[in-house]
Coordinates of all heavy atoms in Angstrom, one line a residue:
M1 N -9.3 67.0 -31.8 CA -8.7 68.3 -31.8 C -7.4 68.2 -32.8 O -6.6 67.4 -32.6 CB -8.2 68.7 -30.5 CG -7.5 69.9 -30.4 SD -7.0 70.4 -28.6 CE -7.9 69.3 -27.5
K2 N -7.5 69.1 -33.9 CA -6.4 69.0 -34.8 C -5.2 70.0 -34.6 O -5.5 71.1 -34.5 CB -7.0 69.3 -36.2 CG -6.0 69.2 -37.3 CD -6.6 69.4 -38.7 CE -5.6 69.3 -39.7 NZ -5.8 70.0 -40.9
D3 N -4.1 69.4 -34.4 CA -2.8 70.2 -34.2 C -3.0 71.4 -33.2 O -3.0 72.5 -33.6 CB -2.3 70.7 -35.5 CG -2.0 69.6 -36.5 OD1 -1.5 68.6 -36.1 OD2 -2.3 69.8 -37.7
P4 N -3.3 71.1 -32.0 CA -3.4 72.1 -31.0 C -2.1 72.9 -30.9 O -2.2 74.2 -30.5 CB -3.8 71.4 -29.7 CG -3.3 70.1 -29.8 CD -3.4 69.7 -31.3
V5 N -1.0 72.2 -31.1 CA 0.3 73.0 -30.9 C 1.1 72.9 -32.3 O 1.2 71.8 -32.8 CB 1.2 72.3 -29.8 CG1 2.6 73.0 -29.8 CG2 0.5 72.5 -28.4
I6 N 1.4 74.0 -32.7 CA 2.3 74.1 -34.0 C 3.5 74.8 -33.6 O 3.6 75.8 -32.9 CB 1.6 74.9 -35.1 CG1 0.3 74.2 -35.5 CG2 2.5 75.1 -36.2 CD1 -0.5 74.9 -36.5
I7 N 4.7 74.2 -34.0 CA 6.0 74.8 -33.7 C 6.8 75.0 -35.0 O 6.9 74.0 -35.7 CB 6.8 73.9 -32.6 CG1 8.1 74.5 -32.3 CG2 6.9 72.5 -33.1 CD1 8.8 73.8 -31.2
Y8 N 7.2 76.2 -35.2 CA 8.0 76.5 -36.4 C 9.5 76.3 -35.9 O 9.9 76.9 -34.9 CB 7.8 77.9 -36.9 CG 6.5 78.1 -37.6 CD1 5.3 78.4 -36.9 CD2 6.3 77.9 -38.9 CE1 4.1 78.6 -37.5 CE2 5.1 78.2 -39.6 CZ 4.0 78.4 -38.9 OH 2.8 78.6 -39.5
T9 N 10.3 75.6 -36.7 CA 11.6 75.2 -36.3 C 12.6 75.4 -37.6 O 12.2 75.6 -38.6 CB 11.7 73.8 -35.8 OG1 11.4 73.0 -36.9 CG2 10.8 73.6 -34.7
T10 N 13.9 75.3 -37.2 CA 14.9 75.0 -38.2 C 15.7 73.8 -37.8 O 15.6 73.4 -36.6 CB 15.9 76.2 -38.4 OG1 16.5 76.5 -37.2 CG2 15.2 77.4 -38.9
K11 N 16.5 73.2 -38.7 CA 17.1 71.9 -38.4 C 18.2 72.1 -37.3 O 18.4 71.0 -36.6 CB 17.8 71.4 -39.7 CG 16.8 71.0 -40.8 CD 17.6 70.6 -42.0 CE 16.6 70.0 -43.1 NZ 15.8 71.1 -43.7
T12 N 18.9 73.2 -37.2 CA 20.1 73.2 -36.3 C 19.8 74.1 -35.0 O 20.8 74.3 -34.3 CB 21.2 73.7 -37.0 OG1 20.9 75.0 -37.6 CG2 21.7 72.8 -38.2
C13 N 18.6 74.5 -34.8 CA 18.3 75.4 -33.7 C 18.3 74.6 -32.3 O 17.4 73.8 -32.1 CB 17.0 76.1 -33.9 SG 16.3 76.9 -32.6
P14 N 19.2 74.9 -31.4 CA 19.1 74.3 -30.1 C 17.9 74.6 -29.3 O 17.4 73.7 -28.5 CB 20.4 74.7 -29.4 CG 20.8 75.9 -30.1 CD 20.2 75.9 -31.5
Y15 N 17.4 75.8 -29.5 CA 16.2 76.2 -28.8 C 14.9 75.5 -29.2 O 14.0 75.1 -28.5 CB 15.9 77.7 -28.8 CG 17.0 78.4 -28.1 CD1 18.0 79.0 -28.8 CD2 17.1 78.6 -26.8 CE1 19.1 79.7 -28.2 CE2 18.1 79.3 -26.1 CZ 19.0 79.8 -26.8 OH 20.1 80.6 -26.2
C16 N 14.9 75.2 -30.6 CA 13.9 74.4 -31.1 C 13.8 73.0 -30.5 O 12.9 72.4 -30.2 CB 14.0 74.2 -32.6 SG 13.9 75.8 -33.6
I17 N 15.1 72.4 -30.4 CA 15.2 71.0 -29.9 C 14.7 71.0 -28.4 O 13.9 70.1 -28.0 CB 16.7 70.6 -29.9 CG1 17.1 70.4 -31.4 CG2 16.9 69.3 -29.2 CD1 18.5 70.2 -31.6
R18 N 15.1 72.0 -27.6 CA 14.6 72.1 -26.2 C 13.1 72.2 -26.0 O 12.5 71.6 -25.3 CB 15.3 73.3 -25.5 CG 16.8 73.0 -25.1 CD 17.3 74.1 -24.3 NE 16.6 74.3 -23.1 CZ 16.2 75.5 -22.6 NH1 16.6 76.7 -23.2 NH2 15.5 75.6 -21.5
A19 N 12.5 73.0 -27.0 CA 11.1 73.3 -26.9 C 10.4 71.9 -27.2 O 9.4 71.5 -26.6 CB 10.6 74.3 -27.9
K20 N 10.9 71.2 -28.3 CA 10.3 70.0 -28.7 C 10.5 68.9 -27.6 O 9.6 68.0 -27.4 CB 10.9 69.5 -30.0 CG 10.5 70.3 -31.2 CD 10.9 69.7 -32.5 CE 12.4 69.8 -32.7 NZ 12.9 69.3 -34.0
Q21 N 11.6 68.9 -26.9 CA 11.9 68.0 -25.8 C 10.8 68.2 -24.7 O 10.3 67.2 -24.1 CB 13.3 68.2 -25.3 CG 14.3 67.5 -26.2 CD 15.8 67.9 -25.7 OE1 16.0 68.8 -24.9 NE2 16.7 67.1 -26.1
L22 N 10.5 69.4 -24.4 CA 9.5 69.7 -23.3 C 8.2 69.2 -23.8 O 7.5 68.6 -23.0 CB 9.5 71.2 -23.0 CG 8.4 71.6 -22.1 CD1 8.6 71.0 -20.7 CD2 8.3 73.1 -21.9
L23 N 7.8 69.5 -24.9 CA 6.5 69.0 -25.5 C 6.5 67.5 -25.5 O 5.4 66.9 -25.1 CB 6.2 69.6 -26.9 CG 6.0 71.1 -27.0 CD1 6.0 71.5 -28.4 CD2 4.8 71.6 -26.2
N24 N 7.4 66.8 -26.0 CA 7.5 65.3 -25.9 C 7.5 64.8 -24.5 O 6.8 63.9 -24.3 CB 8.8 64.9 -26.6 CG 8.7 65.0 -28.2 OD1 7.6 64.8 -28.8 ND2 9.7 65.2 -28.8
H25 N 8.2 65.4 -23.6 CA 8.2 64.9 -22.2 C 6.9 65.0 -21.6 O 6.5 64.2 -20.8 CB 9.3 65.8 -21.4 CG 9.3 65.5 -20.0 ND1 9.9 64.4 -19.4 CD2 8.7 66.1 -18.9 CE1 9.7 64.3 -18.1 NE2 9.0 65.5 -17.7
K26 N 6.1 66.1 -21.9 CA 4.7 66.2 -21.4 C 3.7 65.5 -22.2 O 2.6 65.5 -21.8 CB 4.4 67.7 -21.3 CG 5.2 68.5 -20.4 CD 4.9 69.9 -20.2 CE 3.5 70.2 -19.6 NZ 3.3 69.8 -18.2
G27 N 4.2 64.7 -23.2 CA 3.2 64.0 -24.0 C 2.2 64.8 -24.8 O 1.1 64.4 -25.2
I28 N 2.7 66.0 -25.2 CA 1.8 66.9 -26.0 C 2.1 66.8 -27.5 O 3.3 67.0 -27.9 CB 2.1 68.4 -25.5 CG1 1.9 68.6 -24.0 CG2 1.3 69.4 -26.5 CD1 2.4 69.9 -23.5
P29 N 1.1 66.3 -28.2 CA 1.3 66.2 -29.6 C 1.5 67.6 -30.3 O 0.9 68.5 -29.8 CB 0.1 65.5 -30.2 CG -0.9 65.7 -29.1 CD -0.2 66.0 -27.8
F30 N 2.3 67.7 -31.4 CA 2.5 69.0 -32.0 C 2.8 68.7 -33.5 O 3.3 67.6 -33.9 CB 3.7 69.8 -31.3 CG 5.0 69.0 -31.3 CD1 5.9 69.2 -32.4 CD2 5.3 68.2 -30.3 CE1 7.1 68.6 -32.4 CE2 6.6 67.6 -30.2 CZ 7.5 67.8 -31.3
K31 N 2.5 69.7 -34.3 CA 2.9 69.7 -35.7 C 4.1 70.6 -35.8 O 4.1 71.7 -35.4 CB 1.8 70.2 -36.5 CG 2.1 70.3 -38.0 CD 0.9 70.9 -38.8 CE 1.3 71.0 -40.3 NZ 0.2 71.5 -41.0
E32 N 5.2 70.0 -36.4 CA 6.4 70.8 -36.6 C 6.5 71.3 -38.0 O 6.2 70.5 -39.0 CB 7.6 69.9 -36.3 CG 9.0 70.6 -36.4 CD 10.2 69.8 -36.2 OE1 10.0 68.6 -35.8 OE2 11.2 70.3 -36.2
I33 N 6.8 72.5 -38.2 CA 6.9 73.1 -39.5 C 8.4 73.6 -39.6 O 8.7 74.6 -39.0 CB 6.0 74.2 -39.8 CG1 4.5 73.7 -39.7 CG2 6.2 74.9 -41.2 CD1 3.4 74.8 -39.7
D34 N 9.2 72.8 -40.4 CA 10.6 73.3 -40.6 C 10.7 74.3 -41.7 O 10.4 74.1 -42.8 CB 11.4 72.0 -40.9 CG 12.9 72.3 -41.0 OD1 13.4 73.4 -41.1 OD2 13.6 71.3 -41.0
I35 N 11.2 75.5 -41.3 CA 11.3 76.6 -42.2 C 12.7 76.7 -42.8 O 13.0 77.8 -43.5 CB 10.8 77.9 -41.6 CG1 11.7 78.3 -40.5 CG2 9.4 77.8 -41.2 CD1 11.5 79.8 -40.0
S36 N 13.6 75.8 -42.5 CA 15.0 75.9 -42.9 C 15.2 76.2 -44.4 O 16.0 77.2 -44.7 CB 15.8 74.6 -42.6 OG 15.8 74.2 -41.3
D37 N 14.5 75.7 -45.2 CA 14.7 75.9 -46.7 C 13.4 76.2 -47.3 O 13.1 76.0 -48.5 CB 15.2 74.6 -47.4 CG 16.6 74.3 -46.8 OD1 17.5 75.2 -46.7 OD2 16.8 73.1 -46.4
D38 N 12.5 77.0 -46.6 CA 11.1 77.2 -47.0 C 10.7 78.7 -46.8 O 10.2 79.0 -45.7 CB 10.1 76.3 -46.5 CG 8.8 76.3 -47.0 OD1 8.4 77.3 -47.6 OD2 8.1 75.2 -46.9
Q39 N 11.0 79.5 -47.8 CA 10.7 81.0 -47.6 C 9.3 81.3 -47.4 O 8.9 82.1 -46.5 CB 11.3 81.7 -48.8 CG 11.1 83.2 -48.7 CD 12.0 83.9 -47.7 OE1 13.1 83.4 -47.5 NE2 11.5 84.9 -47.0
E40 N 8.4 80.6 -48.0 CA 7.0 80.7 -47.8 C 6.5 80.5 -46.4 O 5.7 81.1 -45.8 CB 6.1 79.9 -48.8 CG 6.1 80.5 -50.3 CD 5.3 79.6 -51.2 OE1 4.3 79.1 -50.8 OE2 5.8 79.5 -52.4
R41 N 7.0 79.4 -45.9 CA 6.7 78.9 -44.5 C 7.2 79.9 -43.5 O 6.6 80.2 -42.4 CB 7.1 77.6 -44.2 CG 6.3 76.5 -44.9 CD 4.9 76.5 -44.4 NE 4.4 75.2 -44.5 CZ 3.2 74.7 -43.9 NH1 2.5 75.7 -43.3 NH2 2.8 73.5 -44.0
E42 N 8.4 80.4 -43.8 CA 9.1 81.5 -42.9 C 8.2 82.8 -42.9 O 8.0 83.4 -41.9 CB 10.4 81.8 -43.4 CG 11.2 82.8 -42.5 CD 12.6 82.9 -42.9 OE1 13.2 82.2 -43.7 OE2 13.3 83.9 -42.3
E43 N 7.7 83.1 -44.1 CA 6.9 84.4 -44.2 C 5.5 84.1 -43.4 O 5.0 85.0 -42.7 CB 6.6 84.7 -45.6 CG 7.9 85.2 -46.3 CD 7.7 85.3 -47.8 OE1 6.6 85.1 -48.4 OE2 8.8 85.8 -48.5
E44 N 5.0 82.8 -43.5 CA 3.8 82.5 -42.8 C 4.0 82.6 -41.3 O 3.2 83.2 -40.6 CB 3.4 81.1 -43.2 CG 2.3 80.5 -42.4 CD 2.1 79.0 -42.7 OE1 1.4 78.7 -43.6 OE2 2.7 78.2 -42.0
M45 N 5.2 82.1 -40.8 CA 5.5 82.2 -39.4 C 5.6 83.7 -39.0 O 4.9 84.0 -37.9 CB 6.9 81.5 -39.1 CG 7.2 81.6 -37.7 SD 8.9 81.2 -37.4 CE 9.9 82.6 -38.0
T46 N 6.2 84.5 -39.8 CA 6.3 85.9 -39.3 C 5.0 86.6 -39.4 O 4.7 87.4 -38.5 CB 7.3 86.7 -40.3 OG1 8.6 85.9 -40.3 CG2 7.5 88.1 -39.9
R47 N 4.1 86.2 -40.3 CA 2.8 86.9 -40.4 C 2.0 86.4 -39.2 O 1.3 87.2 -38.6 CB 2.2 86.4 -41.7 CG 0.8 87.0 -41.9 CD 0.2 86.6 -43.3 NE 0.3 85.2 -43.6 CZ -0.5 84.2 -43.2 NH1 -1.4 84.5 -42.3 NH2 -0.3 83.0 -43.6
L48 N 2.0 85.1 -38.8 CA 1.3 84.7 -37.7 C 1.7 85.1 -36.3 O 0.9 85.2 -35.4 CB 1.1 83.2 -37.8 CG 0.4 82.5 -38.9 CD1 0.6 81.0 -39.0 CD2 -1.1 82.9 -38.9
T49 N 3.0 85.2 -36.2 CA 3.5 85.5 -34.8 C 4.2 86.9 -34.7 O 4.3 87.3 -33.5 CB 4.7 84.5 -34.6 OG1 5.8 84.7 -35.4 CG2 4.2 83.1 -34.6
G50 N 4.5 87.6 -35.8 CA 5.1 88.9 -35.7 C 6.6 88.8 -35.4 O 7.2 89.8 -35.1
R51 N 7.1 87.6 -35.4 CA 8.5 87.4 -35.0 C 9.2 86.6 -36.2 O 8.6 85.9 -36.9 CB 8.6 86.6 -33.7 CG 8.0 87.3 -32.5 CD 8.2 86.6 -31.3 NE 7.8 87.3 -30.1 CZ 7.9 86.7 -28.9 NH1 8.4 85.6 -28.7 NH2 7.4 87.4 -27.9
K52 N 10.6 86.8 -36.2 CA 11.4 86.2 -37.2 C 12.3 85.1 -36.7 O 13.0 84.4 -37.4 CB 12.2 87.2 -38.0 CG 11.4 88.1 -38.8 CD 12.2 89.2 -39.5 CE 11.4 90.1 -40.3 NZ 11.2 89.6 -41.7
T53 N 12.3 84.9 -35.4 CA 13.2 83.9 -34.7 C 12.5 82.6 -34.5 O 11.3 82.5 -34.4 CB 13.8 84.4 -33.5 OG1 12.6 84.7 -32.5 CG2 14.6 85.7 -33.6
V54 N 13.3 81.5 -34.4 CA 12.7 80.2 -34.1 C 13.2 79.7 -32.8 O 14.3 80.2 -32.3 CB 13.0 79.1 -35.2 CG1 12.3 79.4 -36.5 CG2 14.5 79.1 -35.5
P55 N 12.5 78.9 -32.1 CA 11.2 78.4 -32.5 C 10.0 79.5 -32.2 O 10.3 80.3 -31.4 CB 11.0 77.2 -31.6 CG 11.7 77.6 -30.3 CD 12.9 78.4 -30.8
Q56 N 9.0 79.3 -33.0 CA 7.8 80.0 -32.7 C 6.7 79.1 -32.4 O 6.6 78.1 -33.3 CB 7.4 81.0 -33.8 CG 8.4 82.2 -33.9 CD 8.4 83.0 -32.6 OE1 7.4 83.3 -32.0 NE2 9.5 83.4 -32.1
I57 N 6.0 79.2 -31.4 CA 5.1 78.2 -31.0 C 3.6 78.8 -30.9 O 3.5 79.9 -30.4 CB 5.4 77.6 -29.6 CG1 6.8 77.0 -29.7 CG2 4.4 76.5 -29.2 CD1 7.6 77.0 -28.4
L58 N 2.7 78.1 -31.5 CA 1.3 78.5 -31.4 C 0.5 77.4 -30.7 O 0.7 76.2 -31.0 CB 0.7 78.7 -32.9 CG 1.3 79.9 -33.6 CD1 2.4 79.4 -34.5 CD2 0.2 80.5 -34.4
I59 N -0.4 77.9 -29.9 CA -1.3 76.9 -29.2 C -2.7 77.3 -29.5 O -3.1 78.4 -29.2 CB -1.1 76.9 -27.6 CG1 0.4 76.5 -27.3 CG2 -2.1 76.1 -26.9 CD1 0.6 76.5 -25.8
H60 N -3.5 76.4 -30.1 CA -4.8 76.7 -30.7 C -4.8 78.0 -31.5 O -5.7 78.8 -31.4 CB -5.8 76.8 -29.5 CG -5.9 75.6 -28.7 ND1 -6.4 74.3 -29.2 CD2 -5.7 75.4 -27.4 CE1 -6.4 73.5 -28.3 NE2 -6.0 74.1 -27.1
G61 N -3.7 78.1 -32.3 CA -3.6 79.2 -33.2 C -3.1 80.6 -32.6 O -3.0 81.5 -33.3
K62 N -2.9 80.6 -31.3 CA -2.5 81.8 -30.6 C -0.9 81.7 -30.4 O -0.4 80.8 -29.8 CB -3.2 81.9 -29.4 CG -2.7 83.1 -28.5 CD -3.3 83.2 -27.1 CE -2.6 84.2 -26.3 NZ -2.6 84.0 -24.9
P63 N -0.2 82.7 -30.9 CA 1.3 82.6 -30.7 C 1.6 82.9 -29.2 O 1.0 83.8 -28.5 CB 1.8 83.9 -31.4 CG 0.6 84.5 -32.1 CD -0.6 83.9 -31.6
V64 N 2.5 82.0 -28.7 CA 2.9 82.0 -27.2 C 4.3 82.4 -27.1 O 4.8 82.4 -26.0 CB 2.5 80.7 -26.5 CG1 1.0 80.5 -26.5 CG2 3.2 79.5 -27.0
G65 N 5.1 82.4 -28.2 CA 6.5 82.9 -28.2 C 7.4 81.7 -28.6 O 7.0 80.8 -29.3
G66 N 8.6 81.7 -27.9 CA 9.6 80.8 -28.2 C 9.9 79.8 -27.1 O 9.0 79.6 -26.3
C67 N 11.1 79.2 -27.1 CA 11.4 78.1 -26.2 C 11.3 78.6 -24.7 O 10.7 78.0 -23.9 CB 12.8 77.7 -26.5 SG 13.4 76.4 -25.3
D68 N 11.9 79.8 -24.4 CA 12.0 80.3 -23.0 C 10.5 80.6 -22.6 O 10.1 80.3 -21.4 CB 12.8 81.5 -22.9 CG 14.3 81.2 -23.0 OD1 14.7 80.0 -22.9 OD2 15.1 82.1 -23.3
D69 N 9.7 81.2 -23.4 CA 8.3 81.5 -23.2 C 7.6 80.2 -22.8 O 6.8 80.1 -21.9 CB 7.7 82.2 -24.3 CG 8.3 83.5 -24.7 OD1 8.6 84.3 -23.8 OD2 8.8 83.7 -25.8
L70 N 7.8 79.1 -23.6 CA 7.1 77.8 -23.4 C 7.5 77.2 -22.0 O 6.6 76.8 -21.3 CB 7.5 76.9 -24.6 CG 6.8 75.5 -24.5 CD1 5.3 75.7 -24.8 CD2 7.5 74.5 -25.5
H71 N 8.7 77.3 -21.8 CA 9.2 76.7 -20.4 C 8.7 77.7 -19.3 O 8.2 77.0 -18.3 CB 10.7 76.7 -20.3 CG 11.3 75.6 -21.0 ND1 11.5 74.4 -20.4 CD2 11.7 75.4 -22.3 CE1 12.0 73.5 -21.3 NE2 12.2 74.1 -22.4
D72 N 8.5 78.9 -19.5 CA 7.9 79.8 -18.5 C 6.5 79.4 -18.2 O 6.0 79.4 -17.1 CB 8.0 81.3 -18.9 CG 9.4 81.8 -18.8 OD1 10.3 81.1 -18.1 OD2 9.7 82.9 -19.3
L73 N 5.7 79.2 -19.4 CA 4.4 78.8 -19.3 C 4.2 77.5 -18.5 O 3.2 77.3 -17.7 CB 3.7 78.7 -20.7 CG 3.4 79.9 -21.4 CD1 3.0 79.7 -22.9 CD2 2.4 80.8 -20.7
D74 N 5.0 76.5 -18.8 CA 5.0 75.2 -18.1 C 5.2 75.5 -16.6 O 4.6 74.9 -15.7 CB 6.0 74.3 -18.7 CG 5.9 72.9 -18.1 OD1 4.8 72.4 -18.0 OD2 7.0 72.3 -17.8
R75 N 6.3 76.2 -16.2 CA 6.7 76.4 -14.9 C 5.5 77.0 -14.0 O 5.3 76.7 -12.9 CB 7.9 77.3 -14.7 CG 9.1 76.5 -14.8 CD 10.4 77.4 -14.3 NE 10.6 78.4 -15.3 CZ 11.4 78.3 -16.5 NH1 11.8 77.1 -16.7 NH2 11.6 79.3 -17.2
C76 N 4.7 77.9 -14.6 CA 3.7 78.5 -13.8 C 2.4 77.8 -14.0 O 1.3 78.4 -13.4 CB 3.6 80.0 -14.2 SG 2.8 80.4 -15.9
G77 N 2.3 76.7 -14.7 CA 1.0 76.0 -14.8 C 0.1 76.4 -16.0 O -0.9 75.9 -16.2
E78 N 0.5 77.5 -16.6 CA -0.3 78.1 -17.7 C -0.3 77.3 -19.0 O -1.4 77.2 -19.7 CB 0.2 79.5 -18.0 CG -0.6 80.3 -19.0 CD -2.0 80.7 -18.4 OE1 -2.3 80.5 -17.2 OE2 -2.8 81.2 -19.1
L79 N 0.7 76.5 -19.2 CA 0.8 75.7 -20.5 C -0.3 74.6 -20.4 O -1.1 74.5 -21.4 CB 2.2 75.0 -20.5 CG 2.3 74.0 -21.8 CD1 2.1 74.8 -23.0 CD2 3.7 73.4 -21.8
D80 N -0.5 74.0 -19.3 CA -1.6 72.9 -19.2 C -3.0 73.6 -19.4 O -3.8 73.1 -20.0 CB -1.5 72.1 -17.9 CG -0.3 71.3 -17.8 OD1 0.2 70.8 -18.8 OD2 0.2 71.1 -16.7
R81 N -3.1 74.8 -18.8 CA -4.4 75.5 -18.9 C -4.7 75.9 -20.3 O -5.8 75.7 -20.9 CB -4.4 76.8 -18.0 CG -5.9 77.4 -17.9 CD -5.8 78.8 -17.3 NE -5.2 79.7 -18.2 CZ -5.8 80.2 -19.3 NH1 -6.9 79.8 -19.7 NH2 -5.2 81.1 -20.0
L82 N -3.7 76.3 -21.1 CA -3.9 76.8 -22.4 C -4.2 75.6 -23.3 O -5.1 75.7 -24.3 CB -2.6 77.4 -23.0 CG -2.3 78.8 -22.5 CD1 -0.9 79.2 -23.0 CD2 -3.4 79.8 -23.1
L83 N -3.7 74.4 -23.0 CA -3.9 73.2 -23.8 C -5.3 72.6 -23.6 O -5.8 72.0 -24.5 CB -2.9 72.2 -23.6 CG -1.5 72.5 -24.1 CD1 -0.4 71.6 -23.5 CD2 -1.4 72.4 -25.6
H84 N -5.9 72.9 -22.5 CA -7.2 72.3 -22.2 C -8.3 73.3 -22.3 O -9.4 73.1 -21.8 CB -7.1 71.7 -20.8 CG -6.2 70.5 -20.8 ND1 -4.9 70.7 -20.3 CD2 -6.2 69.3 -21.2 CE1 -4.3 69.5 -20.4 NE2 -5.0 68.7 -21.1
T85 N -8.1 74.4 -23.0 CA -9.1 75.4 -23.2 C -9.7 75.3 -24.6 O -9.2 74.7 -25.5 CB -8.7 76.9 -23.0 OG1 -7.4 77.0 -23.5 CG2 -8.9 77.4 -21.7

């Protein structure tokens, strides 16, 4: 399975760090795309997610939101279900 989780980040975003910490803690591999100095990647993120804030997280290509959304998915057990579909 290639890059089931993609996370768009910037270098100094504390929410990006928290989201990556959760993924690392759970042992979930992810591809990080840093949009700090990359206008094309930022436009790609906005096109794929409809949002301009970071982090933006996609699971199997489906946007699931940002850091708080990821933590909410984990708390209710939905994160594990999404990863194994």
Side-chain angles (χ1 to χ4, degrees):
M1 178 180 343
K2 185 181 179 201
D3 300 323
V5 177
I6 297 173
I7 180 170
Y8 288 88
T9 65
T10 59
K11 291 177 178 68
T12 59
C13 167
Y15 295 102
C16 298
I17 294 166
R18 284 187 58 226
K20 292 186 294 183
Q21 286 173 336
L22 174 62
L23 295 170
N24 284 325
H25 176 75
K26 293 184 66 71
I28 299 168
F30 59 91
K31 177 180 179 181
E32 180 177 4
I33 300 174
D34 184 345
I35 65 166
S36 297
D37 301 312
D38 192 333
Q39 185 66 35
E40 285 182 31
R41 289 297 214 169
E42 184 176 350
E43 290 169 3
E44 171 188 274
M45 177 193 77
T46 303
R47 181 176 46 80
L48 291 173
T49 67
R51 297 181 178 182
K52 294 180 178 271
T53 58
V54 289
Q56 287 302 314
I57 303 155
L58 293 94
I59 298 178
H60 299 300
K62 177 186 172 210
V64 296
C67 181
D68 291 341
D69 301 305
L70 185 69
H71 280 272
D72 288 345
L73 289 172
D74 185 46
R75 273 191 291 279
C76 74
E78 187 68 8
L79 179 58
D80 292 329
R81 190 192 70 72
L82 286 172
L83 289 166
H84 296 100
T85 35

